[in-house]
Amino acid sequence: MPELLVIRLRTASGTVQDAAQADWLVMDHAGARSGEVRSGALSEASSAQAPGRKVVLLVPGADALLTQPVLPLKSGAKLAQVVPFALEEQLASDVEDLHFAIGKPQAGRSGTPVTIVSHACMEAWRAAVAQAGLHVDAFHVETEALPETPTGVTLLIDGPRVYVKRAAEPGAVLEVDPLIEALQLALASEQEAREHVTIFVSETDYERERELLEGLREFTASLQLKLLPDGPLPVLAAQIMQGMPVNLLQGPYAARTTLNVSFAPWRYAAILALVFVATHLGLKSWQYVQYGSADARLDEQISQVYQQLMPGAPVPSPLQARRQVESRLAQLRGSGSAHGLMNTLAVLGEALAQSPDTNIEALSYRDETTDLRVLVPSVDTLDRIRQVATEHGVSAKIEAANPRESKFEGRLQFKNPGA
């Protein structure tokens, strides 16, 4: 195993600046730290890059979404084409604006790991490392490097952020102030039994929040407090070497290689490959004819449905009928021109569409501010509603969170721009 230079980018949203701040640490061949954690501008980390040493960049977890969807049994390029459409209804942004990185399924876990970030962040991070003179072999999201507590939950407190990792579930990051509310959200669970909790926290944060953290023992099955004298990076770097995090450098961001191979020894295999290709093309041609017939039948069905929906109206071509319906739907959605309460309701509708089993119990609106009380199945659902609203330009914050029976009651406040 080669030595590993792990760099944790601390600049939010991949800001491309010479002064982008980072922490870095070298891990030796055995997976142990070599030297001290260093901090400074990202460009300073290039001094730790050495021949034969692999370089990994940990990017901010707040800029990524980790999921584990159950996907068809495909692989390679076909799976990469399926993933955006399989997750499209769960996302607030257009899939064209997002990059989907796919990992390998892990034993004992359902679904396939998929990490989603925006193309804007990917381009910003790549530009930042290029500007710093670094050659990076892999981009990993820091929430994938959180240690796991068997049959329990791991929390990592890093200043204003609380990272959460439950066994066999994707990691997440909460940006909720004060800390007590963030801990309530992180530890809220659908299970009635108390959880085993491990908390990683810096010595400074522990001393400041000692009473609060020690008081959690009363509400947990067990509590371990592990101090981080050098910050979170040594813990995250150790998990990177032990685990199988998703590398974001896939698809359009994969490293390009040039091959210089002589195919003379493979001429017989090439002939067989040509025969296979010819057979494959013949089969595809037959399928194309069949699809053409099915397409014609579908066009006929579209015309029949159009006549049923608009009796007496001239029947357009199937393509025109589709465009008319889509145009009408765009008008009904308001084409982004809604203001005030309507704007908040539009954003809230998108958030609830991605948050199943969510019930609205109370809603009030005044002076561009909407107060909302909801009943959600989990804390992740509550945080997802806040994230979707924020992505649409609406200021959103979680004001309260209280377990109630087998669900979770949350209070949120939305403020339109200019409020």
Side-chain angles (χ1 to χ4, degrees):
M1 178 183 295
E3 285 190 337
L4 191 67
L5 170 61
V6 183
I7 304 172
R8 185 190 183 208
L9 189 64
R10 291 192 282 111
T11 304
S13 303
T15 304
V16 186
Q17 298 288 339
D18 289 333
Q21 296 299 301
D23 301 324
W24 60 92
L25 174 67
V26 175
M27 306 293 287
D28 64 18
H29 303 279
R33 58 185 292 180
S34 176
E36 300 299 323
V37 175
R38 302 288 302 278
S39 299
L42 183 61
S43 57
E44 298 176 26
S46 60
S47 61
Q49 188 169 8
R53 181 177 288 171
K54 185 178 179 180
V55 181
V56 167
L57 182 72
L58 295 180
V59 298
D63 293 329
L65 173 64
L66 307 185
T67 62
Q68 290 184 177
V70 178
L71 300 173
L73 295 177
K74 298 179 181 290
S75 60
K78 291 184 179 179
L79 184 59
Q81 295 172 1
V82 168
V83 167
F85 299 99
L87 299 175
E88 184 174 14
E89 295 183 356
Q90 305 175 26
L91 303 172
S93 303
D94 293 334
V95 294
E96 292 81 4
D97 298 330
L98 301 174
H99 172 56
F100 297 81
I102 305 169
K104 296 181 179 180
Q106 301 180 23
R109 299 189 180 184
S110 60
T112 300
V114 177
T115 302
I116 307 171
V117 298
S118 68
H119 286 296
C121 282
M122 286 297 298
E123 294 295 346
W125 293 328
R126 291 208 309 168
V129 297
Q131 191 171 357
L134 286 163
H135 173 75
V136 178
D137 298 282
F139 284 11
H140 299 308
V141 178
E142 59 185 0
T143 42
E144 281 203 280
L146 295 173
E148 195 170 285
T149 299
T151 67
V153 58
T154 300
L155 304 182
L156 189 153
I157 300 174
D158 185 23
R161 297 185 178 92
V162 176
Y163 296 83
V164 186
K165 181 70 172 73
R166 281 186 166 81
E169 294 183 10
V173 55
L174 301 176
E175 296 181 283
V176 180
D177 188 49
L179 177 61
I180 185 172
E181 293 189 8
L183 293 176
Q184 287 176 341
L185 289 172
L187 296 178
S189 173
E190 297 179 1
Q191 301 177 0
E192 295 183 2
R194 295 183 178 184
E195 294 182 291
H196 299 279
V197 179
T198 301
I199 298 180
F200 293 86
V201 59
S202 68
E203 294 178 343
T204 302
D205 288 337
Y206 175 74
E207 291 299 330
R208 186 179 64 252
E209 304 288 350
R210 177 196 294 265
E211 184 177 351
L212 171 61
L213 296 176
E214 294 291 350
L216 293 176
R217 298 185 187 278
E218 182 180 350
F219 306 99
T220 60
S222 65
L223 176 65
Q224 294 187 62
L225 292 171
K226 298 188 177 182
L227 300 185
L228 303 174
D230 296 319
L233 183 55
V235 173
L236 300 177
Q239 293 300 311
I240 286 292
M241 298 199 73
Q242 297 173 11
M244 298 174 57
V246 177
N247 185 1
L248 297 178
L249 297 181
Q250 301 180 18
Y253 303 105
R256 299 290 183 259
T257 57
T258 302
L259 298 178
N260 183 15
V261 181
S262 173
F263 289 96
W266 305 96
R267 56 183 179 272
Y268 295 112
I271 293 173
L272 290 175
L274 289 174
V275 172
F276 173 78
V277 169
T279 304
H280 179 73
L281 291 176
L283 177 61
K284 289 298 181 181
S285 299
W286 177 83
Q287 290 178 339
Y288 180 79
V289 173
Q290 297 299 313
Y291 292 155
S293 300
D295 189 55
R297 292 193 297 271
L298 182 59
D299 287 346
E300 182 178 353
Q301 294 174 0
I302 290 174
S303 298
Q304 293 174 356
V305 171
Y306 188 88
Q307 287 179 324
Q308 294 174 0
L309 294 174
M310 301 181 180
V315 180
S317 67
L319 181 59
Q320 291 175 333
R322 175 181 175 181
R323 288 176 177 173
Q324 291 180 16
V325 173
E326 290 178 344
S327 175
R328 181 56 180 161
L329 289 174
Q331 294 176 6
L332 293 175
R333 295 190 188 105
S335 302
S337 59
H339 297 283
L341 178 60
M342 296 303 295
N343 180 51
T344 302
L345 291 177
V347 172
L348 184 57
E350 290 198 27
L352 294 180
Q354 302 177 37
S355 308
D357 299 328
T358 296
N359 296 322
I360 298 178
E361 297 194 326
L363 184 148
S364 63
Y365 173 82
R366 183 177 182 181
D367 298 331
E368 299 293 335
T369 299
T370 302
D371 292 302
L372 182 69
R373 178 160 54 89
V374 294
L375 192 62
V376 296
S378 68
V379 63
D380 294 334
T381 302
L382 190 63
D383 190 58
R384 183 61 187 155
I385 294 175
R386 181 192 64 80
Q387 289 182 7
V388 172
T390 302
E391 291 171 359
H392 284 75
V394 175
S395 176
K397 70 176 181 178
I398 300 171
E399 293 191 319
N402 298 294
R404 197 178 86 186
E405 300 177 355
S406 61
K407 293 192 175 182
F408 190 82
E409 180 183 289
R411 296 177 183 271
L412 301 97
Q413 186 178 84
F414 300 87
K415 288 189 177 181
N416 287 316

